Amino acid sequence: MRTDASRRDILMDRIVWVLAHIVLLPLLYLPPLRMRRRGVEHLPERGPTLIVCNHVSVCDPIVLTAAARPRRTSMMAKAELFGNPLFAIMLRLLRAFPIRRGVGDVGAIRHALDLLGQGECIVIFPEGHVSRTGHMRRGHPGAGFFALRPGVTVIPAVVWDTQLFRGPVRVVFGEPISMEGIDAGPRKMRYRQATDRIMTELCRMAIELGAPIQDPPVGPVRPKDLKRGFVEPDPVVLARPPQAAAEGA
């Protein structure tokens, strides 16, 4: 049974959400960002949903939250972002919750699982850091962990041109990513397989929007994937046209 305090918290959460959408989000459709979106029909109206997205700018969370309307989202964000009081308020308005990376933040993971268990929609950025060049990093296996939860619908999303802050910013939601066939082997291996499947689709969608051509960023996370800012691109082999690949062999 809900207590008076919990009812007040729920009411306040709804009020803040409505105010944020009325005051903040419509501004994203105006200059300089001039947000454009497509593929919203792929987002389930209800039920546990995981949106996985590339990451090219610090404003991606705000843009993605706006683009996902009318579906209400919660967002997993690195704990360091909550160190700035003003930015922390903004993140709270977006229903973001902190996660401490690299330490196995059990509390944040449980909270995310609770949200999915309640049929909520959560957003994660598998790369973990912004890539200012648009080259995608290898994804963290936590994305695969959530993607393999029973009943969860996995929706890929790509944001592009937020790194320029001059729009028009484009947001595309893709068709659900199937996790069928990932049901054997050790858990860590299955999480890695699910994450690689996610990153392969995100890479394909990002290239279609204008991102640099690259091979899908699959495989275990490397030290260079953990660096901030510039991402050193891997040599492109599979993504090259067949003739060029043959000439370079």
Side-chain angles (χ1 to χ4, degrees):
M1 182 179 296
R2 291 175 177 171
T3 63
D4 290 341
S6 65
R7 291 192 185 96
R8 285 196 300 270
D9 290 341
I10 293 174
L11 178 61
M12 182 58 67
D13 179 62
R14 290 175 179 172
I15 292 174
V16 169
W17 175 259
V18 171
L19 289 176
H21 279 62
I22 292 176
V23 177
L24 173 64
L25 300 184
L27 297 177
L28 300 179
Y29 291 93
L30 302 175
L33 293 183
R34 296 176 292 146
M35 184 179 73
R36 303 292 183 266
R37 62 176 185 166
R38 59 183 171 89
V40 183
E41 67 275 8
H42 297 310
L43 277 171
E45 295 182 2
R46 59 184 62 85
T49 304
L50 177 72
I51 299 178
V52 287
C53 188
N54 69 321
H55 206 1
V56 293
S57 169
V58 293
C59 68
D60 290 343
I62 299 175
V63 171
L64 191 60
T65 296
R69 288 188 303 171
R71 187 67 195 263
R72 193 177 185 185
T73 62
S74 296
M75 191 167 301
M76 185 179 293
K78 58 184 181 181
E80 298 93 316
L81 295 177
F82 291 81
N84 183 310
L86 292 178
F87 202 56
I89 292 174
M90 178 70 71
L91 290 171
R92 297 294 184 186
L93 290 177
L94 298 175
R95 301 185 81 201
F97 57 96
I99 180 169
R100 294 172 297 152
R101 298 176 301 173
V103 296
D105 192 338
V106 176
I109 294 173
R110 286 179 176 172
H111 182 61
L113 291 176
D114 287 342
L115 290 173
L116 290 174
Q118 297 166 22
E120 297 282 349
C121 176
I122 67 172
V123 175
I124 62 174
F125 297 91
E127 295 171 87
H129 283 296
V130 169
S131 170
R132 302 194 185 282
T133 64
H135 291 94
M136 294 185 65
R137 310 167 188 268
R138 296 184 181 184
H140 291 267
F145 168 78
F146 291 113
L148 291 176
R149 296 304 93 191
V152 171
T153 301
V154 183
I155 300 294
V158 168
V159 179
W160 192 248
D161 280 343
T162 50
Q163 67 270 37
L164 301 178
F165 288 98
R166 56 180 172 81
V169 166
R170 291 166 292 165
V171 184
V172 176
F173 296 96
E175 296 182 3
I177 301 176
S178 172
M179 291 293 137
E180 291 185 5
I182 306 178
D183 51 12
R187 286 181 299 175
K188 290 185 177 181
M189 184 181 74
R190 286 185 278 122
Y191 300 158
R192 183 72 258 166
Q193 290 176 343
T195 299
D196 287 349
R197 188 174 294 185
I198 288 169
M199 299 310 296
T200 298
E201 180 62 11
L202 289 181
C203 183
R204 183 193 67 80
M205 292 172 59
I207 292 174
E208 288 184 353
L209 276 187
I213 295 177
Q214 67 174 100
D215 289 318
V218 299
V221 174
R222 303 155 300 179
K224 75 174 186 177
D225 297 313
L226 303 176
K227 294 181 180 178
R228 299 176 182 271
F230 178 78
V231 179
E232 179 185 351
D234 291 330
V236 176
V237 179
L238 298 179
R240 290 188 297 172
Q243 181 178 357
E247 292 175 354

